Amino acid sequence: MTPLDELVVTLDADQCWERLHRSRIARVAFRTEESLEVIPVNYVAETRQLVFATSSNVILDAVQAGREIVMEVDEHDGWTAWSVVARGIAHIPDTRHVTAQRIRSMLATPKRATVVLEPTSVTGRLFDQAAP
């Protein structure tokens, strides 16, 4: 075991989802034809889905084009920190997603669409900042 192995722990899928369920802010990342975009969003995790509402044309264009969406969530408390990354293809449901009603937005602006990400991959790491 190396010193790094003592400080960084790989989270299993259930541990990742536990953290995703208790957090509310993520960064959504995706490629456009011109660049790589990273945009903060408020979200809600429901079962094994991540749901957010947006009016961003850039996000909606990426979703409608079927581009891979990556959502990253992290937190720290001074002793430990963790990071979870969820990847997959998102979609816009045909009807307003019930979960979207529970989202508390950083910006109280009207949202044009609800986006649902059902990740094909969820990975996470826990960083022990208190270890020697």
Side-chain angles (χ1 to χ4, degrees):
M1 189 176 261
T2 69
L4 186 59
D5 293 330
E6 295 175 16
L7 300 175
V8 180
V9 176
T10 300
L11 301 173
D12 65 30
D14 289 335
Q15 292 169 319
C16 290
W17 280 104
E18 174 188 324
R19 285 161 174 80
L20 290 171
H21 277 276
R22 69 178 187 225
S23 294
R24 294 291 175 256
I25 299 173
R27 285 168 293 286
V28 174
F30 52 90
R31 290 198 178 278
T32 68
E33 303 218 359
E34 298 84 32
S35 65
L36 178 64
E37 297 290 330
V38 180
I39 300 172
V41 297
N42 293 97
Y43 78 95
V44 172
E46 183 172 89
T47 58
R48 299 286 174 148
Q49 297 179 338
L50 302 172
V51 180
F52 63 96
T54 188
S55 285
S56 167
N57 288 331
V58 179
I59 292 174
L60 295 174
D61 289 348
V63 170
Q64 291 169 341
R67 294 192 177 104
E68 180 181 43
I69 301 290
V70 177
M71 288 182 72
E72 194 270 342
V73 179
D74 56 39
E75 286 187 13
H76 63 85
D77 63 10
W79 297 102
T80 60
W82 57 264
S83 172
V84 173
V85 175
R87 301 173 185 274
I89 304 297
H91 69 277
I92 299 169
D94 293 335
T95 59
R96 182 156 169 81
H97 202 281
V98 175
T99 302
Q101 296 171 7
R102 297 194 340 250
I103 298 170
R104 298 292 174 249
S105 180
M106 291 181 267
L107 276 176
T109 57
K111 308 300 185 210
R112 289 192 352 235
T114 299
V115 177
V116 177
L117 176 64
E118 295 180 41
T120 54
S121 166
V122 177
T123 58
R125 297 181 297 168
L126 175 70
F127 309 97
D128 185 353
Q129 298 174 314

